[in-house]
Amino acid sequence: PDAGERPSLPGGAGVAIWVLLMLRLVGASVTTIADCDETFNYWEPMHFVFFGYGFQTWEYSPEHALRSYLFLLPHGMTAWLSAKVVGHTAAFVATRSVQALV
């Protein structure tokens, strides 16, 4: 490319990536939770830590400690910040949208 040109992705790959990201965002905002493990292994413990209520599943309890809260921290920070900015209900969709982009 010339000095003034920005490099572009070959063969319209940029458009394909954009379309895939949009599809993931739409999917994150309109699909329901289809798997109980998503709720009880991640959403509930994250909600318990960041909002003070919810279920602490046995995998996260100090007695068993099979799972680490470390995995929940980035998602929980997104949920907490989103709840402060756009409201508690919208924080769910915001958190799923961030997960869709990662």
Side-chain angles (χ1 to χ4, degrees), residues 3-82:
E5 282 186 54
R6 286 184 14 196
S8 62
L9 295 171
V15 173
I17 290 171
W18 185 85
V19 169
L20 289 173
L21 286 175
M22 291 301 107
L23 285 172
R24 288 178 62 94
L25 283 173
V26 168
S29 63
V30 299
T31 57
T32 60
I33 294 176
D35 185 11
C36 65
D37 283 343
E38 181 181 354
T39 300
F40 291 109
N41 289 335
Y42 302 105
W43 286 107
E44 285 290 340
M46 180 189 70
H47 206 272
F48 178 76
V49 169
F50 282 90
F51 297 104
Y53 60 97
F55 294 109
Q56 180 189 38
T57 59
W58 68 272
E59 295 101 335
Y60 287 94
S61 71
E63 182 181 339
H64 300 285
L66 295 176
R67 296 184 187 265
S68 169
Y69 284 103
L70 189 60
F71 175 77
L72 302 176
L73 288 178
H75 308 294
M77 293 300 286
T78 303
W80 182 82
L81 184 61
S82 299

